[in-house]
Amino acid sequence: MTSTSPSTPHSFQVDLRGLVDLLSHHLYSSPRVYVRELLQNAVDAITARHAIEPAAEVRIRLSAAGGRVTIEDSGIGLTADEAHSLLATIGRSSKRASGGSDLNEQGLDATRQEFLGQFGIGLLACFVVARQIRVVTRSARDPHAAPVEWMATDDGSYTVRELPHDARPEPGTTVVLEARPGAAEWAVPARVEELARDYGSLLPYEITFDDGEGGEPRPITDRPAVWDRPFPTPDARRVALAGHCAQLFGFTPLDSIDLDLPVAGVRGVAYVLPEPTSPAHRAGHRVHLKGMLLTERADNLLPDWAFFVRAVLDTDTLRPTASRENLYDDETLGAVRDALGARVRGWLAELAASDPDRLAAFLQVHHLGVKSMARHDPDLLGLMLPWLPFETSDGSMSLQEFAAAHTDIHFTRTVEEFRQIAPIAAAHGLGVINAGYTYDADLLALLPAVRPELKVTELDAGAVTERLDPVPTSAELALAPFLATARTRLEPQSCDVVLRAFQPVAVPALYLDDRQARQERERTAALESADSLWSGILGALRGSAPRARLVLNHNNPLIRRIAALPDEALTGTAVESLYGQALLMSQRPLRPADSTLLNRAFLGLLEWATHSTDDRDDQEGQK
């Protein structure tokens, strides 16, 4: 059949310029997706042909040269009528509702799922980089139909004409894109090949690429996926997966976790990060849909607590968003997310049971992630209890090790409070855990549910004081005037003074505070600045909680020398200095009153020291 003259140019049944703007600026994140659309159309065409000719050849060849990108397939092809229908009248029943009115947003989202996967919209999406698109196609359904040429430009017009039979002897389709001004970078052969490998490495049919330089076409696909390949040994598989992770994500993983959910049509692998990462960081996972890369930034694939892994998987059941660049967060994805989280937990359980060295290496880096999981999973807490590290007054150890030595467990809510009390607690057999780090306080609150015989309480000043050795009654009576002076001086700071003997001897004084004491000080401060109405209310709320305590160490020589001073004013200044030093050692924020006291004590000691020097000079002069 001889070629026919082109008919009068037709117009698309959509505003093509508006469609290109929609696709490039609002729907797709980057023009790079045009390669995905070309590959998707070719794969769909092959699949459609195999439905009627299972033995038909498979051929998809991509090439780029001279500002043009060409893809040829041996798929189902199109007739002239189909070219009009699929390539021009885009979604006649899906783009518009009956009566021609625009669909609302919800309806548009639903219909996008229908037309975005079809040949027509996929090809028109290529106008984000193309000035002109030429399609030469021959149908496999009708062997007598002539080849068809469909030619379109970005001004919104196209032509369709039949070609001679020898123009394309076999069924299939060839698409040629000519880059428009400003988009030539997307047609560079190296760029096209890179994008094709990125999107299509797991596609079910062999795809090759030709850069137009005369060499052999290079394979694009790389199947089966590395996680599905046979390996002679587990170590060989682990090495191969590590190399795959380094290529995809740029790091060598601590370990890999198989993500195999046959019922959900999901298969892949999660790679464990070799370095700590923030729990607030939203991980980006790599998802393929039926072999085609959907996204590299899926942040809703795994539970939030699994922030220590990066996953790559292939699925044929999860639903893509309209742009096919992420996963639609529906009930199916929620169920898959839970199942993948169970796989990660199962991996941890397996390590705990069979490979404690690998588990210890993992926890050294990612104990925060496991602690985050254990807060919501008592079974996991029980499983990980022998392994999770905590900072304690006996050193760094697991809760199980610590509980073996202490049935009464105390904890501090701040790191500073723990560091002040830990040496003294250790010397006197008081079990204290630092719960100032993320998740530790939550886990300690859950501990009695796992180990009912344990008692867990927040550390308070009274508990510490009770553990310290009392001073003999005769000694305390002898020091009664000194203690009275000390208590009088520190009364404005809402701080009591007690005398105890404790280790280490080098610590002269210990400042003990607890939540109740802090609440009482805050109430008192608010009372002082409140009006008469609030003063009455706050006064009625006065609590009986103990105040902060300055515990003086009777074993310390400096305390004994200060207690023996004959000058009451000097004794008071020395006590204020002890208070200030203990407060600084606790690393708590200083109140204005505390700063004033520190300055007064420092200047008072300087004045006493200089006066003492002057007195000695006068005595020497008199001699």
Side-chain angles (χ1 to χ4, degrees):
M1 181 177 178
T2 59
S3 63
T4 59
S5 299
S7 59
T8 303
H10 304 273
S11 293
F12 292 104
Q13 299 305 303
V14 294
D15 178 359
L16 184 57
R17 291 189 183 277
L19 177 62
V20 170
D21 179 73
L22 171 66
L23 295 175
S24 60
H25 294 101
H26 303 288
L27 191 59
Y28 295 140
S29 62
S30 167
R32 71 198 304 267
V33 298
Y34 89 92
V35 174
R36 182 191 69 189
E37 300 300 337
L38 291 177
L39 294 174
Q40 186 69 66
N41 287 339
V43 169
D44 289 346
I46 296 288
T47 302
R49 185 171 182 186
H50 275 193
I52 61 173
E53 295 182 53
E57 70 166 328
V58 174
R59 185 181 70 256
I60 301 177
R61 183 170 180 173
L62 181 67
S63 61
R68 289 185 173 87
V69 178
T70 303
I71 188 167
E72 180 184 3
D73 68 71
S74 57
I76 192 69
L78 299 172
T79 64
D81 289 341
E82 289 170 340
H84 276 292
S85 176
L86 296 180
L87 298 176
T89 312
I90 302 301
R92 287 172 297 177
S93 61
S94 62
K95 184 66 179 177
R96 295 268 178 175
S98 59
S101 62
D102 286 328
L103 291 168
N104 61 27
E105 185 175 354
Q106 182 178 358
L108 183 56
D109 285 340
T111 56
R112 278 176 179 159
Q113 295 301 322
E114 299 173 12
F115 69 71
L116 274 175
Q118 295 176 2
F119 187 82
I121 190 68
L123 188 59
L124 289 185
C126 294
F127 274 116
V128 296
V129 299
R131 181 189 68 82
Q132 176 181 281
I133 301 176
R134 180 174 182 261
V135 178
V136 176
T137 181
R138 184 163 189 168
S139 176
R141 293 191 184 93
D142 184 358
H144 300 293
V148 176
E149 178 193 70
W150 179 90
M151 180 83 75
T153 58
D154 60 2
D155 64 2
S157 64
Y158 73 96
T159 60
V160 177
R161 64 170 180 161
E162 294 185 348
L163 301 177
H165 282 274
D166 58 1
R168 186 175 184 94
E170 299 295 331
T173 301
T174 300
V175 179
V176 182
L177 307 183
E178 183 177 326
R180 59 182 173 81
E185 62 177 301
W186 298 105
V188 174
R191 188 71 175 275
V192 176
E193 182 178 11
E194 176 189 1
L195 293 176
R197 291 184 188 280
D198 201 33
Y199 280 114
S201 61
L202 299 185
L203 288 173
Y205 307 123
E206 183 179 354
I207 301 171
T208 60
F209 178 79
D210 185 353
D211 59 10
E213 296 183 359
E216 287 293 321
R218 295 183 287 272
I220 293 298
T221 48
D222 186 23
R223 291 187 64 89
V226 64
W227 54 82
D228 284 330
R229 295 174 192 171
F231 292 95
T233 64
D235 285 342
R237 185 174 189 270
R238 188 176 296 115
V239 170
L241 288 173
H244 179 249
C245 176
Q247 181 181 4
L248 283 185
F249 297 117
F251 65 85
T252 300
L254 281 178
D255 207 344
S256 57
I257 307 168
D258 284 321
L259 304 177
D260 187 8
L261 303 175
V263 175
V266 172
R267 179 76 177 137
V269 63
Y271 295 115
V272 181
L273 291 165
E275 297 178 351
T277 186
S278 169
H281 178 65
R282 300 285 288 181
H285 306 293
R286 188 177 176 93
V287 178
H288 295 258
L289 182 61
K290 298 179 181 178
M292 180 70 74
L293 177 65
L294 184 71
T295 180
E296 300 173 288
R297 299 182 296 275
D299 59 3
N300 54 358
L301 180 64
L302 290 175
D304 289 342
W305 52 256
F307 56 83
F308 51 84
V309 298
R310 295 291 181 273
V312 53
L313 56 80
D314 190 17
T315 176
D316 56 14
T317 60
L318 297 179
R319 179 183 170 193
T321 58
S323 64
R324 288 189 292 173
E325 294 187 303
N326 211 333
L327 293 170
Y328 190 81
D329 208 337
D330 55 10
E331 291 183 1
T332 301
L333 178 58
V336 168
R337 182 164 50 236
D338 291 341
L340 294 178
R343 287 286 187 272
V344 178
R345 285 197 297 269
W347 169 78
L348 285 171
E350 182 181 351
L351 286 187
S354 62
D355 201 337
D357 290 339
R358 283 170 63 199
L359 178 64
F362 165 75
L363 288 177
Q364 187 176 5
V365 179
H366 293 298
H367 58 275
L368 275 181
V370 178
K371 287 181 177 181
S372 175
M373 288 188 288
R375 292 181 305 153
H376 308 292
D377 191 335
D379 293 337
L380 182 64
L381 177 59
L383 176 69
M384 291 288 105
L385 200 60
W387 309 102
L388 290 176
F390 285 82
E391 187 177 6
T392 78
S393 53
D394 294 344
S396 180
M397 61 180 61
S398 71
L399 286 180
Q400 180 162 297
E401 292 173 313
F402 191 71
H406 305 278
T407 55
D408 288 344
I409 296 177
H410 301 273
F411 67 91
T412 65
R413 290 190 178 272
T414 66
V415 175
E416 293 77 17
E417 187 177 6
F418 172 81
R419 289 178 179 168
Q420 183 200 18
I421 199 64
I424 297 167
H428 292 270
L430 182 66
V432 181
I433 293 178
N434 181 6
Y437 296 118
T438 307
Y439 308 132
D440 285 3
D442 294 337
L443 291 178
L444 289 172
L446 294 173
L447 186 57
V450 179
R451 298 281 300 274
E453 74 277 12
L454 299 179
K455 181 182 178 182
V456 179
T457 56
E458 184 173 354
L459 184 71
D460 59 48
V464 178
T465 305
E466 289 172 4
R467 284 299 186 102
L468 303 180
D469 297 333
V471 176
T473 304
S474 58
E476 189 162 6
L477 286 175
L479 296 177
F482 162 68
L483 293 175
T485 299
R487 288 167 183 150
T488 300
R489 277 302 185 103
L490 296 185
E491 177 63 28
Q493 312 306 125
S494 299
C495 182
D496 289 335
V497 178
V498 295
L499 187 65
R500 291 291 186 273
F502 58 86
Q503 300 296 326
V505 174
V507 178
L510 177 66
Y511 180 83
L512 296 178
D513 201 2
D514 55 37
R515 183 169 53 184
Q516 291 179 321
R518 289 191 291 270
Q519 289 174 345
E520 180 65 16
R521 284 200 306 273
E522 290 170 0
R523 188 203 62 80
T524 302
L527 179 63
E528 293 173 353
S529 61
D531 56 26
S532 57
L533 173 61
W534 280 107
S535 294
I537 295 174
L538 292 171
L541 295 176
R542 180 182 298 274
S544 60
R547 300 190 297 175
R549 298 183 183 185
L550 181 68
V551 183
L552 302 178
N553 188 0
H554 189 253
N555 291 338
N556 183 271
L558 177 62
I559 295 297
R560 296 186 179 188
R561 288 196 296 270
I562 293 175
L565 289 173
D567 187 338
E568 183 177 337
L570 179 59
T571 300
T573 300
V575 168
E576 289 181 338
S577 299
L578 289 171
Y579 171 85
Q581 187 266 349
L583 195 61
L584 292 174
M585 290 298 293
S586 71
Q587 300 184 38
R588 290 177 173 83
L590 295 180
R591 298 171 296 167
D594 294 329
S595 299
T596 301
L597 177 144
L598 280 171
N599 288 332
R600 182 174 67 243
F602 177 71
L603 293 175
L605 290 177
L606 284 179
E607 185 176 356
W608 176 83
T610 55
H611 283 178
S612 299
T613 302
D614 291 342
D615 291 343
R616 286 194 295 270
D617 291 342
D618 291 342
Q619 293 173 1
E620 290 295 331
Q622 291 173 1
K623 290 180 182 180

